[in-house]
Amino acid sequence: MQQARAKMKGDSSLRWARALVREAQPAVRLQEARTAYEEARRLLEAGRYADALPLSERALALREGVQGDSPPKLASCLNLLGNLHHRQGDHARAEPLFQRALDLREAVLDNSGHADIAESLHTLANLYADQGLYDRARLFYQRGLDIRETVLGPGHAAVAESLNGLARLSARQGMYGCAEPHYQRALALREAALGPRHPAVAQTLNNLANLYREQGVPCRAGPLYERALEIREEALGENHPLVATSLNNLATLFLEQARYDRAEPLYQRALAIYEVALGPGHPDVARTLNNLAELYAVQGVYDQVEALTERALAIREAALGPHHPDVAYSLTNLACFHRARGAYSRAEPLYERALAIREEALGAHHPLVAKELYNLAELRLAQDRLADALSLFWRAFVMSEQRLRQEALDFSNSRLASFLQFLRTSEERLYTLLRKHPGDASAQRLALTAVLLLKGRSVDEAGDTSRTIYQSLSAQDRKAFERLRELRTQLSALALQRPGSMSSMDYQRRIKELADQGDALEADLAKRSAPLRALAALPSPDDIVDAVAASLPQDGALIELIAYQDHPLWPQPGTVGVQRAAQLRYLALVLFPNTSIRVLDLGSAEPIDQAASHLRNALANRDASFQATAEALYELTFKPLRPLLGEARRLFLSTDGQLSLVPFAAVHDGDQFLVDSFDFIYLNSGKELLPRTGDMPPSHSVVVLADPDFGASMPEVAEHSTLHGDMAERPWVPLPGTRQEAEAIQRLVPQAQLFLGAEATKERLLNQPTPGVLHLATHGFFMEDAPMPAPRGSRAVGHFGALGADTSAPRPSDPLLRSGLVLASARGSAPDAAGVPPLRSDSALVTALELAGLNLWGTQLVVLSACDTGRGEVKLGQGVYGLRRALVVAGAETVVTSLWKVNDETTRVLMEEYYRHLLEGQGRCSALHEAMRSVRQNHPHPHYWAPFIALGQDAPLRALEVGPQLA
């Protein structure tokens, strides 16, 4: 009995022991799974994906072998293994793992609000984005973001991960305006939550740099790429795949900047890292091979191009499938290689396949589709298929214009200028095409459409923002604009001073801080005004030529002069490896009221620019032999153009390049000046002929600031003795002629408000209610590197800054800071009715940058009766950056400016004659020509009668407040 009991007890102990073993085995497995999982995660973060893969697979197998194991932990193993396959380019294995993990998590967790579900959604979204399934990716990113913001809070680092993914997706789809704010928010969240040296911060820096590079802002992209690379090398080691990504992207920036010697070693280093870490068949290896091939192609080193491109194509097709968007990159590069060798039949199917892939994956309006259309169009030209090429060029241009209209709504002035420069090469291709086919009506219309829409576009967009802010936005938005104006005044005051007690580095840093703050405010205001600005959009590309033609008078013609780089449209067979530099040329397009277009290639820009500069200098210096230079410019420009003009006598002239700085009225045909045959109305672009929409009703007051009391400003100048050059060392010469000029205007218009002497202050100008006519008669300045001494009796600041002998004085980089006017200064003005304090500055100098913030919407005419007010920095296609641009941006309908240092006495006479003709009802530009002819009778040299040009509307002034004797 006892033995039986003992046996029973032994059996029970054995069963208990066996049960313990059975229970222990799952625990051992789970511990082993945890160990393998953590080591696999560590290896993944180190970029050792191949080493991590078997450990991840073991962790998953161990957990799957334990019945009843935690589904969320099993899901984490599935997600980790999916990530490893994804990073190695194996999308087919990654997707079912990600999907199974999501299913498990949704089955046991709160389906509407758990962070682990958001993680699964994010990893699937990443995979779909890399597969080119963008619509599906966006749904998953957005759902994941919503969960993370609700569960974790809007400041959590995981929220930044979702924002980064959404931004990257938007950028891939060409939705750059949506991408940037997501990236910026993600960057701020990650820096705050993780610190500025975390690899996740580097990821967002890298992606934001990619965005800026794709938008043509390399100055913003470069520092971000370099910072991301530095963080990754420090945190991850020099051989991590993410380091290779930074190297590849920085090399691509150098490639686009033609810094080939810096690009190649970075590509080679990235390629070596990728091949070791990811294997030779990874898509990242293909990307670097493709980029290296492009680098060699642009340098004409073709012996390696085909092999590298074909290898990249094979990798991408095997890893991503034949219809993936990245495959199109390799197809395009291979097609370009064959086209350059003259193998058009081999290039054609590659281009067509690349275009089809991009249209299918990215949509018909993506920027990369437009790029592919340009490529195919150039192939059609090489095949002598002009009509087909023009159709493709037109499609590509329309898409580019749509992109510009969308993105420009959110840009600051500097950002827009960079973007327009980024688009410039594609624009210039159209002018090269027209030069080669000047008689083709479709080529004429396409090129003129591009000119009308793109020339001076930065002025239009900046003006639209200003108008909308002053007319339509809230008091809060207007207050933000006042803050922007204050920043510009601070920046102007600092930029026109030497560093003083500050070190040069601190001085430049402070200038950059102010400029960056202003740029950020500009961008914010542009975004706020975007919906209202979009309502006043330009005519479509299909309609703009007809609309401008309909705005011309019957005796008028629009002349668009274009300075452009003449790029070869395609390499000619047999010239492989031979790089031909683009040549700067001038092209003239003439539009008539009946919509007919005439075209003239004026030839190389160099002799024309030299003749223009010689004429301007001869007129400015009162050269007695000026007529020879006036005839020389006529021979190069107007003589060949004249037969095209027919009976047109009112010439609406939109100039470019150095031709923007000469008065065509003073050009001589050998018998007479052109002012005797034509009226010239200057425009930034022919689209200025279109009716202005949304303008305020015209103001009717006349305001004159003249003869500032410079002596009253001298104590302030002495106090701030760090002003440029000898500005602080001598008083400004009084200008008695400007007082007489103001009094003559008041005799003609008795109600005119005169602010003379100590009342002609900068503060009064910056806070003046919108006038109908604004007349400023004082000293003007324009900083240039090779100054000429100011003639005695002129309205010019003789020497300061870059105008003076002090070449060590730092020159402001912004051209709007290098031109301006000199007024009296005062302090202590009271706030306005809204409680906004007036703008103040201790300096009497007012720059073009400050004047751009004036409210001149409703101002019919601004006359800058001073020296050099029409000069500035010439930017091809975008006009002269100086006072004339600033006042157009501020809203002035017509601006009268000078092209050299004007004489005080004869300018007084000219201006008095000008106002007489205005009050007789003549047009604002026509009246100036009549005044010129009148002054010429007593002062025959053009130095005295031709220094001014009128830019803008030629219509007569509307309902000025005049005295009863002139009413």
Side-chain angles (χ1 to χ4, degrees):
M1 187 75 169
Q2 289 179 345
Q3 288 179 345
R5 287 176 178 172
K7 183 176 184 302
M8 289 175 63
K9 185 176 181 180
D11 290 343
S12 176
S13 296
L14 181 60
R15 287 195 301 271
W16 178 76
R18 286 174 177 171
L20 285 178
V21 170
R22 285 196 301 270
E23 290 175 5
Q25 286 174 343
V28 170
R29 288 182 178 182
L30 291 177
Q31 180 58 45
E32 187 178 346
R34 281 193 292 271
T35 301
Y37 175 83
E38 293 300 330
E39 180 63 11
R41 282 193 61 182
R42 186 188 68 79
L43 291 170
L44 180 147
E45 291 172 359
R48 296 169 58 184
Y49 307 139
D51 295 336
L53 190 61
L55 287 169
S56 181
E57 289 173 337
R58 178 162 178 74
L60 177 60
L62 286 167
R63 286 203 175 273
E64 287 181 319
V66 177
Q67 189 174 5
D69 185 29
S70 166
K73 292 181 178 178
L74 180 60
S76 295
C77 286
L78 289 163
N79 225 50
L80 175 63
L81 185 56
N83 263 322
L84 286 166
H85 284 306
H86 184 191
R87 296 201 184 193
Q88 291 184 297
D90 193 342
H91 297 163
R93 291 189 182 184
E95 184 173 5
L97 294 167
F98 285 147
Q99 188 61 58
R100 187 179 163 201
L102 176 61
D103 292 342
L104 280 171
R105 286 170 167 169
E106 288 184 324
V108 299
L109 301 174
D110 182 357
N111 190 29
S112 63
H114 198 285
D116 286 351
I117 292 176
E119 181 193 28
S120 282
L121 291 166
H122 184 81
T123 52
L124 266 169
N126 283 339
L127 180 70
Y128 293 144
D130 287 345
Q131 290 177 308
L133 304 172
Y134 297 142
D135 291 340
R136 189 182 303 179
R138 184 169 295 278
L139 291 174
F140 278 63
Y141 276 134
Q142 189 61 57
R143 186 179 162 205
L145 174 62
D146 293 341
I147 291 174
R148 282 171 164 170
E149 286 188 314
T150 301
V151 175
L152 303 175
H156 198 277
V159 171
E161 183 180 46
S162 291
L163 290 167
N164 193 79
L166 265 174
R168 184 164 168 259
L169 177 66
S170 295
R172 285 183 172 186
Q173 292 182 287
M175 300 162 60
Y176 302 117
C178 298
E180 185 175 7
H182 285 328
Y183 276 141
Q184 289 174 335
R185 185 183 164 202
L187 180 61
L189 288 176
R190 282 178 159 171
E191 287 182 322
L194 305 173
R197 309 294 295 176
H198 195 278
V201 171
Q203 181 193 39
T204 304
L205 290 169
N206 179 79
N207 292 348
L208 187 56
N210 282 340
L211 178 73
Y212 289 145
R213 181 178 58 78
E214 290 165 6
Q215 289 183 306
V217 196
C219 60
R220 289 193 176 189
L224 299 183
Y225 278 140
E226 290 170 353
R227 184 181 162 202
L229 175 60
E230 181 185 349
I231 293 171
R232 283 172 165 171
E233 286 184 321
E234 177 186 288
L236 305 174
E238 294 188 349
N239 296 315
H240 195 283
L242 291 177
V243 170
T245 298
S246 285
L247 292 167
N248 177 83
N249 291 344
L250 186 56
T252 300
L253 179 67
F254 290 145
L255 167 60
E256 293 173 352
Q257 294 174 324
R259 300 162 72 181
Y260 306 134
D261 58 328
R262 298 201 62 184
E264 184 173 8
L266 297 182
Y267 277 141
Q268 293 288 7
R269 184 181 160 202
L271 180 61
I273 294 171
Y274 278 142
E275 288 185 319
V276 171
L278 305 178
H282 194 278
D284 287 347
V285 171
R287 182 178 66 220
T288 309
L289 291 169
N290 202 73
N291 292 343
L292 261 176
E294 187 173 349
L295 172 67
Y296 293 142
V298 297
Q299 295 180 91
V301 184
Y302 282 91
D303 55 337
Q304 298 185 60
V305 172
E306 186 172 17
L308 290 171
T309 307
E310 288 183 339
R311 183 184 163 198
L313 176 59
I315 292 171
R316 281 172 158 164
E317 288 183 317
L320 305 173
H323 303 293
H324 192 278
D326 287 355
V327 171
Y329 282 106
S330 293
L331 291 168
T332 298
N333 274 14
L334 195 56
C336 289
F337 171 74
H338 290 312
R339 188 186 74 189
R341 297 171 62 201
Y344 303 146
S345 61
R346 296 188 66 182
E348 184 172 7
L350 297 173
Y351 277 137
E352 290 175 340
R353 184 182 161 201
L355 177 61
I357 289 173
R358 285 180 163 162
E359 286 182 321
E360 177 65 26
L362 306 174
H365 302 290
H366 194 279
L368 289 176
V369 173
K371 187 174 181 180
E372 209 63 67
L373 289 169
Y374 276 121
N375 285 328
L376 191 54
E378 291 184 359
L379 177 68
R380 295 288 183 255
L381 286 177
Q383 295 171 316
D384 293 324
R385 298 165 62 181
L386 177 60
D388 291 342
L390 284 167
S391 176
L392 293 168
F393 275 127
W394 181 262
R395 279 184 59 196
F397 174 76
V398 170
M399 291 164 59
S400 177
E401 172 63 20
Q402 289 170 341
R403 178 187 179 189
L404 176 58
R405 293 188 187 205
Q406 176 184 349
E407 295 191 40
L409 292 174
D410 294 341
F411 282 167
S412 65
N413 291 334
S414 62
R415 184 76 173 277
L416 177 60
S418 296
F419 190 58
L420 288 166
Q421 186 59 39
F422 176 65
L423 299 177
R424 179 72 175 170
T425 299
S426 296
E427 176 191 352
E428 289 176 328
R429 286 177 177 173
L430 304 181
Y431 306 145
T432 299
L433 175 66
L434 180 59
R435 184 178 70 82
K436 292 180 177 293
H437 304 279
D440 187 276
S442 297
Q444 293 173 353
R445 191 173 183 89
L446 173 57
L448 184 55
T449 298
V451 175
L452 293 175
L453 287 172
L454 297 177
K455 195 176 184 184
R457 186 67 167 269
S458 59
V459 180
D460 303 330
E461 298 292 344
D464 285 347
T465 301
S466 169
R467 182 190 67 236
T468 305
I469 288 166
Y470 276 120
Q471 297 178 10
S472 306
L473 295 189
S474 66
Q476 180 182 359
D477 292 330
R478 286 194 290 274
K479 198 165 187 178
F481 194 61
E482 290 302 312
R483 172 59 184 153
L484 174 60
R485 295 178 65 197
E486 291 171 3
L487 279 172
R488 288 171 171 174
T489 292
Q490 294 175 35
L491 178 59
S492 297
L494 186 63
L496 294 175
Q497 296 176 4
R498 293 183 186 143
S501 60
M502 285 190 289
S503 69
S504 178
M505 183 177 298
D506 288 341
Y507 175 75
Q508 295 298 335
R509 180 164 51 244
R510 180 56 180 156
I511 285 180
K512 185 178 185 304
E513 286 173 357
L514 289 171
D516 288 347
Q517 290 175 36
D519 199 63
L521 261 176
E522 278 183 13
D524 184 55
L525 287 165
K527 290 175 184 177
R528 294 190 208 181
S529 66
L532 292 172
R533 288 161 55 207
L535 298 177
L538 289 165
S540 71
D542 288 328
D543 299 330
I544 191 163
V545 171
D546 294 340
V548 171
S551 302
L552 286 166
Q554 287 305 306
D555 63 343
L558 168 66
I559 303 175
E560 287 283 2
L561 295 172
I562 307 148
Y564 72 104
Q565 296 285 346
D566 188 69
H567 299 273
L569 286 173
W570 70 89
Q572 297 296 322
T575 63
V576 172
V578 177
Q579 298 295 306
R580 182 172 76 82
Q583 181 190 36
L584 188 66
R585 300 180 69 89
Y586 276 103
L587 186 67
L589 285 86
V590 184
L591 176 66
F592 295 93
N594 64 359
T595 73
S596 64
I597 302 169
R598 296 175 186 171
V599 176
L600 179 66
D601 173 30
L602 292 172
S604 172
E606 184 177 1
I608 294 174
D609 285 345
Q610 287 181 352
S613 296
H614 290 161
L615 176 58
R616 202 200 68 81
N617 290 338
L619 299 182
N621 293 329
R622 290 173 287 186
D623 190 334
S625 59
F626 74 88
Q627 186 168 326
T629 58
E631 291 182 22
L633 185 61
Y634 175 81
E635 291 291 325
L636 289 169
T637 58
F638 212 83
K639 182 178 180 179
L641 189 61
R642 200 163 190 166
L644 277 61
L645 300 176
E647 300 300 317
R649 289 296 174 264
R650 298 184 67 200
L651 303 184
F652 295 84
L653 189 59
S654 172
T655 56
D656 204 354
Q658 292 303 309
L659 292 177
S660 299
L661 300 177
V662 294
F664 274 77
V667 173
H668 204 281
D669 65 6
D671 294 323
Q672 59 184 2
F673 292 105
L674 293 186
V675 72
D676 295 322
S677 303
F678 302 97
D679 278 343
F680 293 99
I681 300 97
Y682 292 85
L683 306 170
N684 285 307
S685 162
K687 60 180 168 291
E688 292 178 11
L689 289 165
L690 298 173
R692 299 196 347 170
T693 58
D695 275 4
M696 294 289 286
S699 177
H700 308 305
S701 62
V702 178
V703 175
V704 182
L705 278 75
D707 191 25
D709 185 354
F710 303 128
S713 300
M714 288 309 296
E716 296 177 23
V717 174
E719 177 184 346
H720 294 83
S721 58
T722 56
L723 282 172
H724 272 273
D726 62 357
M727 189 73 134
E729 300 171 7
R730 67 166 77 177
W732 297 311
V733 178
L735 297 171
T738 64
R739 179 177 289 265
Q740 297 169 18
E741 185 176 308
E743 291 168 346
I745 293 173
Q746 192 174 51
R747 285 194 297 272
L748 294 168
V749 188
Q751 280 72 30
Q753 295 176 274
L754 268 55
F755 299 101
L756 308 174
E759 292 188 325
T761 65
K762 172 178 179 176
E763 287 155 315
R764 186 177 297 281
L765 173 61
L766 295 184
N767 293 281
Q768 180 68 38
T770 303
V773 173
L774 176 62
H775 188 99
L776 304 172
T778 181
H779 283 300
F781 65 87
F782 167 65
M783 296 186 186
E784 58 183 347
D785 293 330
M788 295 182 296
R792 186 175 183 84
S794 73
R795 299 180 181 181
V797 174
H799 297 277
F800 76 99
L803 286 174
D806 184 4
T807 57
S808 65
R811 294 165 172 79
S813 58
D814 187 338
L816 296 184
L817 290 171
R818 298 203 300 270
S819 20
L821 303 169
V822 186
L823 296 168
S825 63
R827 304 183 187 183
S829 300
D832 63 17
V836 178
L839 299 176
R840 298 192 297 110
S841 171
D842 294 343
S843 171
L845 307 180
V846 56
T847 64
L849 184 65
E850 295 172 275
L851 292 175
L854 291 176
N855 181 7
L856 300 179
W857 298 99
T859 297
Q860 303 178 56
L861 175 65
V862 175
V863 179
L864 298 180
S865 185
C867 293
D868 288 324
T869 55
R871 299 181 63 198
E873 183 174 316
V874 176
K875 294 184 180 290
L876 298 186
Q878 297 304 319
V880 179
Y881 277 57
L883 287 167
R884 62 162 94 171
R885 172 191 171 88
L887 293 164
V888 170
V889 166
E893 295 177 2
T894 307
V895 181
V896 173
T897 60
S898 63
L899 295 171
W900 55 78
K901 296 173 176 57
V902 300
N903 179 271
D904 188 35
E905 173 58 25
T906 54
T907 298
R908 177 190 66 78
V909 176
L910 179 70
M911 288 301 160
E912 186 171 351
E913 288 296 319
Y914 180 44
Y915 278 89
R916 287 185 186 280
H917 291 295
L918 284 173
L919 293 170
E920 290 171 359
Q922 294 188 25
R924 299 166 219 179
C925 303
S926 305
L928 182 60
H929 289 117
E930 290 300 322
M932 289 180 184
R933 296 174 184 121
S934 177
V935 171
R936 198 176 84 193
Q937 294 176 9
N938 296 319
H939 302 277
H941 197 291
H943 171 84
Y944 299 104
W945 59 264
F948 290 92
I949 61 171
L951 181 76
Q953 294 187 22
D954 184 39
L957 293 175
R958 303 185 294 281
L960 281 185
E961 294 176 353
V962 298
Q965 72 273 27
L966 293 171

